C-alpha cells in the first residue's frame, strides 16, 4: 500500500507531530508498505493517509479525500484535539471526525473523550518506542522528577515549579528536558532557575 502521513508542521521541525510522522513512516516501511511523511495541503494520491492532528491537517485531509476518492483517511487525534479543539466546539474538529474513515488515539482513556456518534470508527493504538541500551547510573542524591517535552504554553510546563514552591520543606529536585519553542518560555525558565535552586 502507498500510505501518506500528514504532519501539520515541516518535517524538519522538532515538534512531536513531525517526529511522530517520521516514526510512523519508518514503521510502515518496515512492514513492506510504501510510506511517505508529508507536510502539504495538497497531498499526492495514495491508498491511505494518516493525518496527525484533526484540525491542523484538515486542509490536507479534505484534499486527500477529493484526489484519492477510494483512499482511506485515518485521523490520529492528538491531546490538543481532544482537550482544546473539542472542548472549544471548534467546527473544524467535528468536520475532520466526520471526514475520517477511522479515528486513532494513542491513550486508551482518550476513547472516553470521543463523541458517541464517532466511537464505532475509533481505535486505540498504543504508541511504540525503541528503547536504547541504557548504562547503569547512580541514583540522584535527592528525590527528583523530570518533565519531558517541549516547553509550550498549552502544556502548562511551569505547574511543576509552582508545586515546588508549595513543597519548600521537601528535598526534591526538578528537571525539564525539551526545547523552549518560544522566547518567552526561555525567559520564564531562566527566571525559575534563578528563583529556585532545586529547578
Amino acid at each position: 500500500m502507498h500510505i501518506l502521513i500528514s504532519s501539520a508542521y515541516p518535517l524538519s521541525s522538532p515538534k512531536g507531530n513531525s517526529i511522530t510522522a517520521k516514526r510512523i513512516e519508518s514503521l510502515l516501511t518496515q512492514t513492506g508498505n510504501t510510506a511517505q511523511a508529508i507536510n502539504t495541503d495538497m497531498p499526492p494520491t495514495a491508498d491511505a493517509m494518516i493525518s496527525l492532528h484533526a484540525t491542523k491537517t484538515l486542509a490536507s485531509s479534505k484534499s486527500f479525500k477529493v484526489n484519492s476518492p477510494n483512499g482511506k483517511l485515518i485521523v490520529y487525534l492528538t491531546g490538543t484535539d481532544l482537550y482544546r479543539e473539542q472542548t472549544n466546539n471548534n467546527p473544524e474538529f467535528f468536520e475532520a471526525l466526520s471526514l475520517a474513515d477511522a479515528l486513532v488515539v494513542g491513550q486508551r482513556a482518550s476513547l472516553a473523550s470521543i463523541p458517541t456518534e464517532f466511537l464505532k470508527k475509533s481505535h486505540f493504538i498504543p504508541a511504540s518506542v525503541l528503547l536504547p541500551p541504557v548504562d547503569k547510573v547512580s541514583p540522584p542524591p535527592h528525590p527528583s522528577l523530570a518533565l519531558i517535552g517541549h516547553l509550550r504554553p498549552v502544556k502548562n510546563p511551569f505547574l511543576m515549579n509552582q508545586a515546588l514552591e508549595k513543597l519548600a520543606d521537601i528535598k526534591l529536585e526538578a528537571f525539564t528536558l525539551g526545547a523552549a519553542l518560544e522566547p518567552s518560555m526561555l525567559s520564564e525558565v531562566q527566571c525559575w532557575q534563578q528563583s529556585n535552586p532545586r529547578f
Side-chain angles (χ1 to χ4, degrees):
M1 286 182 73
H2 181 202
I3 306 169
L4 305 173
I5 307 96
S6 179
S7 169
Y9 302 101
L11 298 175
S12 59
S13 166
K15 292 190 174 183
N17 284 355
S18 300
I19 292 167
T20 299
K22 291 186 284 190
R23 175 94 173 105
I24 292 173
E25 176 187 58
S26 174
L27 289 168
L28 290 173
T29 300
Q30 289 172 37
T31 62
N33 293 286
T34 301
Q36 180 184 3
I38 60 169
N39 168 238
T40 177
D41 288 347
M42 296 298 294
T45 58
D47 299 308
M49 184 169 84
I50 301 168
S51 289
L52 301 174
H53 201 297
T55 56
K56 290 183 180 175
T57 58
L58 181 58
S60 179
S61 296
K62 288 162 90 169
S63 294
F64 173 76
K65 291 298 275 187
V66 170
N67 297 331
S68 301
N70 296 319
K72 299 298 182 186
L73 175 65
I74 300 107
V75 173
Y76 190 107
L77 298 173
T78 65
T80 48
D81 277 324
L82 295 171
Y83 65 73
R84 185 173 63 193
E85 305 300 342
Q86 180 177 215
T87 55
N88 290 338
N89 288 314
N90 184 342
E92 291 186 342
F93 171 77
F94 296 98
E95 183 180 0
L97 268 59
S98 298
L99 198 62
D101 294 292
L103 302 170
V104 172
V105 293
Q107 298 180 30
R108 190 181 304 279
S110 295
L111 290 171
S113 301
I114 295 173
T116 309
E117 64 267 33
F118 299 111
L119 277 175
K120 282 186 187 175
K121 60 181 178 182
S122 300
H123 308 275
F124 160 61
I125 301 177
S128 64
V129 64
L130 292 175
L131 294 175
V134 179
D135 294 331
K136 270 194 158 183
V137 295
S138 302
H142 305 293
S144 60
L145 59 93
L147 176 70
I148 301 171
H150 295 317
L151 304 178
R152 297 166 51 211
V154 70
K155 303 289 185 183
N156 195 10
F158 302 115
L159 181 62
M160 174 175 71
N161 302 75
Q162 295 162 19
L164 275 178
E165 287 188 327
K166 294 184 182 302
L167 301 171
D169 298 335
I170 296 178
K171 285 189 176 180
L172 181 67
E173 292 183 335
F175 301 87
T176 58
L177 177 61
L181 299 183
E182 298 175 16
S184 63
M185 299 301 277
L186 182 57
S187 298
E188 195 164 350
V189 164
Q190 291 166 341
C191 288
W192 280 112
Q193 286 177 322
Q194 289 171 4
S195 67
N196 193 332
R198 297 183 296 161
F199 172 64

